[in-house]
């Protein structure tokens, strides 16, 4: 079994620990009413997008999300939260350095022995969710669970849905599809972006993601027999029927959206197996992007 397969299977346990940690680490996490920005790269950016929409939608305060390299200079925030599994990503460390002394910063990381521990004002360490695989699964969802619990949005039902996502077979014929589109609404747009990234990374498959209402504005034109469209969260009225009319496969997201992401992670690993690829070592990727001379 690959490392990523083992790591994604451990997510319910990690989520339980993250929910317990949320109460102890609350002072380092965004407080209600703060103006907050989440930053990250790759998977961490997409988790930041989900967290930002979730927080603002819950009435916790104005919240944005940016790639660390695209953070808008001069825009005022009460706190910037950096998501970084490795704690060594160049763009994140450089941004935290620029913010030091003028904006409060928090890092959520998996490794306490990395530069981000001193680059940020405060840090929350999820070392129990660290991973050996290049492809992120449990760290990303555990970080988001920590935040959901901090905002009172994590329940036991999420764990039940995750158990189902891990146990139930994937939809029949799904791994035979040649192209995958993931759709989301609100906070699940970030999850859709992450699901598509997982499929691209682990299996080198054609995968993309869109806000669900935007799907009709062009992307549906490539949907046909042999493609799959996967909704994470509640679908807009009529969209499932429109996809089926193209001949494409519709996958309804009936579980908690974070559990649906776990199902998508399983798809990525399954596709890698079908295509004879190692999901732990995607081509052209490393566990952390460290830029020389930066």
């Amino acid at each position: 079994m690959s490392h990523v397969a083992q790591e994604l299977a451990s997510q319910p346990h990690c989520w339980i620990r993250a929910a317990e940690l949320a109460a102890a680490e609350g002072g380092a996490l965004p407080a209600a009413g703060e103006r907050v920005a989440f930053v990250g790269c790759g998977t961490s950016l997409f988790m930041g997008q989900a967290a930002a929409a979730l927080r603002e939608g819950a009435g916790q305060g104005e919240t944005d999300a940016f790639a660390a390299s695209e953070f808008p200079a001069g825009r005022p925030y009460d706190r910037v939260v950096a998501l970084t599994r490795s704690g060594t990503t160049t763009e994140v460390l450089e941004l935290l350095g620029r913010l030091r002394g003028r904006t409060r910063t928090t890092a959520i990381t998996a490794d306490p022995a990395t530069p981000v521990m001193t680059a940020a004002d405060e840090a929350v360490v999820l070392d129990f969710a660290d991973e050996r695989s290049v492809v992120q699964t449990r760290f990303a969802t555990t970080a988001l669970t920590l935040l959901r619990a901090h905002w009172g949005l994590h329940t036991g039902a999420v764990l039940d849905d995750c158990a189902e996502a891990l146990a139930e077979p994937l939809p029949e014929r799904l791994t035979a599809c040649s192209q995958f589109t993931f759709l989301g609404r609100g906070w699940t747009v970030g999850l859709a972006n992450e699901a598509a990234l997982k499929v691209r990374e682990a299996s080198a498959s054609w995968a993309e993601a869109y806000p669900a209402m935007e799907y009709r504005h062009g992307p549906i034109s490539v949907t046909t027999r042999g493609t799959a469209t996967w909704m994470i969260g509640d679908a807009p009225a009529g969209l499932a029927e429109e996809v089926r009319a193209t001949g494409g496969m519709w996958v309804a997201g009936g579980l908690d959206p974070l559990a649906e992401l776990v199902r998508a992670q399983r798809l990525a690993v399954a596709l890698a197996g079908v295509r004879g690829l190692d999901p732990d070592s995607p081509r052209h990727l490393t566990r952390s992007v460290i830029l020389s001379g930066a």
Side-chain angles (χ1 to χ4, degrees), residues 85-135:
R85 176 181 66 172
S86 69
T88 60
T89 303
T90 298
E91 299 101 299
V92 171
L93 295 176
E94 288 185 342
L95 174 59
L96 292 174
R98 293 197 300 272
L99 294 175
R100 180 171 290 282
R102 58 187 182 90
T103 302
R104 190 178 183 186
T105 59
T106 296
I108 301 177
T109 187
D111 190 345
T114 55
V116 78
M117 297 296 292
T118 54
D121 296 322
E122 299 171 276
V124 179
V125 178
L126 306 176
D127 51 355
F128 55 88
D130 203 355
E131 297 157 323
R132 295 180 64 182
S133 179
V134 169
V135 174

Side-chain angles (χ1 to χ4, degrees), residues 139-194:
F139 174 75
T141 62
T142 300
L144 191 53
T145 297
L146 174 82
L147 293 164
R148 291 180 86 182
H150 177 61
W151 299 321
L153 302 174
H154 174 79
T155 69
V158 179
L159 298 172
D160 293 340
D161 279 4
C162 186
E164 183 175 340
L166 290 168
E168 291 297 315
L170 292 170
E172 190 176 354
R173 302 187 306 278
L174 186 59
T175 57
C177 291
S178 60
Q179 182 265 337
F180 303 87
T181 300
F182 294 90
L183 305 177
R185 302 181 81 179
W187 74 281
T188 73
V189 172
L191 300 187
N193 288 334
E194 170 59 9

Side-chain angles (χ1 to χ4, degrees), residues 16 44 65 77 82 102 136 141 153 184 211 220 223 236 249 262 269 275:
I16 290 170
S44 292
Y77 289 98
R102 58 187 182 90
Q136 280 199 53
T141 62
L153 302 174
I220 196 171
T223 304
M249 182 178 184
V262 174
V269 173
R275 299 179 181 191

Side-chain angles (χ1 to χ4, degrees), residues 41-66:
C41 303
T43 288
S44 292
L45 167 61
F46 299 143
M47 292 297 100
Q49 290 174 345
L54 189 63
R55 181 178 187 266
E56 189 159 320
Q60 289 284 313
E62 185 175 347
T63 318
D64 296 315
F66 303 99

Side-chain angles (χ1 to χ4, degrees), residues 178-181 199-200 204-208 222 227 275:
S178 60
Q179 182 265 337
F180 303 87
T181 300
V199 170
R200 289 194 297 270
S205 300
W206 176 16
E208 54 191 13
V222 299
T227 71
R275 299 179 181 191

Side-chain angles (χ1 to χ4, degrees), residues 268-289:
V269 173
L271 287 169
V274 168
R275 299 179 181 191
L277 300 175
D278 178 4
D280 288 330
S281 301
R283 62 186 181 185
H284 316 312
L285 296 180
T286 57
R287 190 173 185 274
S288 174
V289 176

Side-chain angles (χ1 to χ4, degrees), residues 206-259:
W206 176 16
E208 54 191 13
Y210 302 96
M213 292 298 288
E214 286 296 305
Y215 183 59
R216 297 179 173 99
H217 296 270
I220 196 171
S221 64
V222 299
T223 304
T224 186
R225 293 189 181 277
T227 71
T229 302
W230 188 323
M231 184 72 214
I232 299 182
D234 296 329
L239 186 57
E241 292 74 18
E242 291 178 42
V243 169
R244 293 189 183 106
T246 70
M249 182 178 184
W250 173 260
V251 182
L255 302 175
D256 179 271
L258 202 56

